[in-house]
Amino acid sequence: MFRREPKERIETAEMPVVGREEGFPNGSPPDKSWQAGRNLMLFKSLVLTAIMVITLYGMLNRGLFELERWLPVAAAILGIFFITLFVVEYFADVPRIVWVLAGLLAVLVAVKGLSLIWSISPPETIKELLRSSMYLAAFVLAAASFSSRRLAGPFIDGMNIIVGAVAGYGVLQKTDPTDYPSTTASGVRIGSTLEYANTVAVVLGMGIVLGLGRMTGLRNPVARGLYAALILVLSVVLYFTFSRGGMLALGVGLLLLFVVGERRLQMFANLLLVSLPLGWLLWRAQDLTTFFSYTSDEDLRAAEGTTFLIYLVVAVIVAFLLQAGYAILLERYELSSWVRRALTAAAVVTALASIGFLGYQAVNQQLVESGGPFSTFAQGLEEPKQANERLTSLSSNSRSIYWRVAWEEWLKHPLTGTGAGTFQYTWLENRPHTSGVKQVHNVYLEQGTETGILAFLALMGFAALLVVYAARATWRAAGERRVLLAGLTGAVAVYLVSSALEWHWYVLPSTIFFFILAGVAAKFASREEQEV
């Protein structure tokens, strides 16, 4: 079943010492072009770090919802982009695929700018024009600033630190609800620092996919154990957002990760080793009533928060030890081929059976309660007594109504739309009830109804080309590059899928985070980068 992996013996020839007295390996100082290239690489690393720090600031600053919060962030990113335009050869190594993708985003921005001519609300259109320009700048900056494939691993580590900060505050909202109360409408769902549970879920989903890909490429047992602990924390916080769209998007991202990635059996084992303590933790949490329904009893909430913290610490330690032990076994032993094939088949069967069971439970509940899943989808979702009951509901929570109003308005103005950022006024004119809403809850449809067919095609083209190109490049890659690229591709897909159900576009930190990932993924996937 197992066979001992022989230790390789590496012979190293003694390297000649030439010019050691001058302080340079070849006896002569490097030329000016080498020094300039090195300085440029350092500057690019600083720029990439800077936009990541700006993203972290936005994540921790209440989602940057108000104009006075996000305007300085937009000015900072656009300012950095403007400065780089004057740096010699800063964009020289940007591959063609990035320029094509940037061109599609530029078309989107240009159409939104032109919509000022016919917009029914020029102030909202100006805001949307500035917002979209910032996203374009973040995408190009990230791609241009990613200067070496060796930075892929540290870059993913840094992005996961950002996600970990969001998850950490979410943990505080559950373990110390008195000092860190939930800001969501139910008072139970985790809104963390972004204050919108569904966007928190998509950020955590991107982090989980990134972390799983990164962990699979690591060899150090401690590093793998730390990533396992992080993924467990991200997963449990994601669960307590009770976001159905976020979990669906995560499922798509994980599926893409497994399809295009490498070392699938190892990835499945990594996921399973995290799922065991995670399942135990969620099972124990079902007895904590304040985690699923709001109560004003602060003492009870504090007591159950402390209990949950103990469970969480135990689960984190177990996840770390399981993954570290597994990593040590991987270094010493190798599975025989027939065991590997059997485990792969068992993994596929287990995954399909789990998906089928969960799907059957959800659909069966809707058939019993409302007579059919399609009628349920068109209905609104009343806040259930237990927050976890929403996970089995197939209701669109009024999204189907938003989509119908947006679609009907788009048919009236198929080429121009009503102007960027103006759906809230379209809704006020055509709403079937008195509730207010500002976004369509579908970023693709929103481009069509607000700015017409050209903007819709530009954003759809960007999303499709990005995913297809990155997935194709991942499939052709090998080794560590493939698992890292698979994580980036899966994480990008999480955001794009979830955006068909949500308005993350207007939660700036999450979307800046996505465009940074997208820029690095496109650069890392390019042929030019592979040939370096």
Side-chain angles (χ1 to χ4, degrees):
M1 183 173 179
F2 293 97
R3 62 172 183 269
R4 184 82 179 202
E5 187 176 0
K7 298 290 183 180
E8 295 183 3
R9 190 176 180 182
I10 302 176
E11 300 290 342
T12 57
E14 184 178 353
M15 299 297 293
V17 180
V18 181
R20 183 69 60 84
E21 64 278 4
E22 286 86 354
F24 301 103
N26 59 357
S28 61
D31 56 23
K32 292 182 179 180
S33 62
W34 181 89
Q35 187 66 37
R38 182 173 179 273
N39 291 338
L40 179 61
M41 182 178 294
L42 290 174
F43 181 69
K44 285 186 174 184
S45 299
L46 289 175
V47 170
L48 184 59
T49 303
I51 59 176
M52 290 170 64
V53 170
I54 291 173
T55 304
L56 175 61
Y57 165 77
M59 290 284 191
L60 300 179
N61 193 3
R62 301 177 60 186
L64 300 177
F65 283 111
E66 297 84 4
L67 180 63
E68 60 270 17
R69 292 181 182 275
W70 68 263
L71 192 57
V73 170
I77 293 178
L78 291 172
I80 293 173
F81 179 74
F82 181 75
I83 292 172
T84 58
L85 293 176
F86 298 94
V87 178
V88 178
E89 295 188 349
Y90 194 91
F91 300 95
D93 64 341
V94 175
R96 284 170 293 178
I97 181 61
V98 172
W99 290 126
V100 172
L101 291 168
L104 291 170
L105 290 178
V107 170
L108 180 68
V109 172
V111 173
K112 291 185 177 185
L114 288 173
S115 72
L116 278 168
I117 300 173
W118 60 80
S119 175
I120 61 176
S121 177
E124 293 299 329
T125 300
I126 292 174
K127 292 178 186 178
E128 176 57 17
L129 176 61
L130 180 59
R131 185 184 293 115
S132 301
S133 300
M134 174 184 57
Y135 295 153
L136 170 59
F139 173 76
V140 176
L141 273 177
S145 302
F146 182 73
S147 55
S148 172
R149 70 176 68 177
R150 294 190 296 271
L151 296 177
F155 167 76
I156 292 176
D157 295 337
M159 296 298 273
N160 268 313
I161 289 175
I162 297 175
V163 180
V166 176
Y169 195 89
V171 170
L172 290 175
Q173 288 184 322
K174 283 300 181 184
T175 58
D176 190 4
T178 302
D179 294 333
Y180 302 92
S182 173
T183 53
T184 57
S186 65
V188 174
R189 301 176 66 189
I190 288 180
S192 189
T193 53
L194 296 175
E195 301 187 349
Y196 183 55
N198 294 333
T199 299
V200 173
V202 78
V203 171
L204 297 174
M206 287 189 282
I208 291 170
V209 176
L210 282 174
L212 187 58
R214 173 64 167 150
M215 180 170 62
T216 305
L218 292 172
R219 299 174 65 90
N220 185 283
V222 175
R224 288 175 67 107
L226 290 174
Y227 255 107
L230 174 64
I231 292 174
L232 182 140
V233 173
L234 299 183
S235 300
V236 72
V237 176
L238 172 61
Y239 174 80
F240 283 113
T241 63
F242 302 111
S243 172
R244 296 165 296 157
M247 295 180 187
L248 174 64
L250 172 60
V252 174
L254 288 175
L255 179 62
L256 185 59
L257 174 68
F258 277 89
V259 170
V260 302
E262 203 174 38
R263 309 173 190 174
R264 298 180 183 88
L265 182 59
Q266 187 182 150
M267 280 196 291
F268 180 80
N270 294 337
L271 193 59
L272 180 62
L273 291 176
V274 173
S275 299
L276 292 176
L278 174 64
W280 173 83
L281 176 61
L282 295 180
W283 170 65
R284 296 305 302 263
Q286 302 304 310
D287 296 330
L288 306 176
T289 57
T290 61
F291 277 47
F292 302 97
S293 60
Y294 180 77
T295 177
S296 58
D297 189 342
E298 293 187 357
D299 292 336
L300 179 59
R301 286 191 292 153
E304 292 196 342
T306 301
T307 301
F308 176 74
L309 179 60
I310 296 173
Y311 294 156
L312 178 62
V313 170
V314 172
V316 165
I317 293 174
V318 171
F320 176 88
L321 294 177
L322 286 175
Q323 185 58 228
Y326 176 62
I328 293 173
L329 290 177
L330 282 178
E331 284 294 309
R332 295 188 177 185
Y333 300 99
E334 183 181 358
L335 289 176
S336 59
S337 59
W338 70 269
V339 174
R340 186 181 297 274
R341 288 193 295 269
L343 290 177
T344 301
V348 172
V349 171
T350 301
L352 293 177
S354 301
I355 294 172
F357 175 76
L358 293 175
Y360 170 78
Q361 290 292 331
V363 173
N364 183 62
Q365 179 173 337
Q366 305 310 312
L367 289 174
V368 171
E369 294 183 357
S370 60
F374 296 105
S375 61
T376 303
F377 182 80
Q379 297 173 358
L381 176 64
E382 296 182 0
E383 197 64 39
K385 294 181 179 179
Q386 298 290 323
N388 55 343
E389 294 176 3
R390 63 182 289 115
L391 295 177
T392 56
S393 173
L394 298 180
S395 168
S396 65
N397 199 15
S398 299
R399 283 167 175 75
S400 62
I401 302 176
Y402 308 152
W403 299 342
R404 177 174 56 80
V405 171
W407 174 252
E408 291 174 353
E409 187 66 25
W410 188 9
L411 292 178
K412 297 177 184 178
H413 311 280
L415 297 179
T416 62
T418 57
T422 59
F423 176 73
Q424 56 183 312
Y425 302 105
T426 298
W427 174 257
L428 291 175
E429 294 175 355
N430 303 280
R431 59 184 177 179
H433 47 71
T434 58
S435 65
V437 66
K438 290 186 176 182
Q439 285 80 37
V440 180
H441 287 68
N442 182 322
V443 69
Y444 310 106
L445 178 58
E446 189 156 10
Q447 307 314 308
T449 191
E450 291 186 349
T451 42
I453 185 64
L454 190 59
F456 170 79
L457 292 177
L459 185 58
M460 288 295 295
F462 172 85
L465 180 60
L466 174 63
V467 172
V468 171
Y469 185 88
R472 183 169 175 266
T474 304
W475 185 265
R476 295 183 172 185
E480 183 182 11
R481 182 174 184 271
R482 182 168 181 177
V483 293
L484 293 178
L485 191 52
L488 289 167
T489 305
V492 164
V494 170
Y495 178 91
L496 293 174
V497 170
S498 182
S499 291
L501 304 169
E502 285 298 339
W503 49 281
H504 308 307
W505 186 269
Y506 293 89
V507 187
L508 270 72
S510 67
T511 306
I512 298 172
F513 185 93
F514 161 75
F515 276 109
I516 293 174
L517 277 182
V520 171
K523 177 74 171 291
F524 194 36
S526 68
R527 293 180 181 178
E528 290 89 339
E529 172 67 18
Q530 189 172 4
E531 292 170 357
V532 172

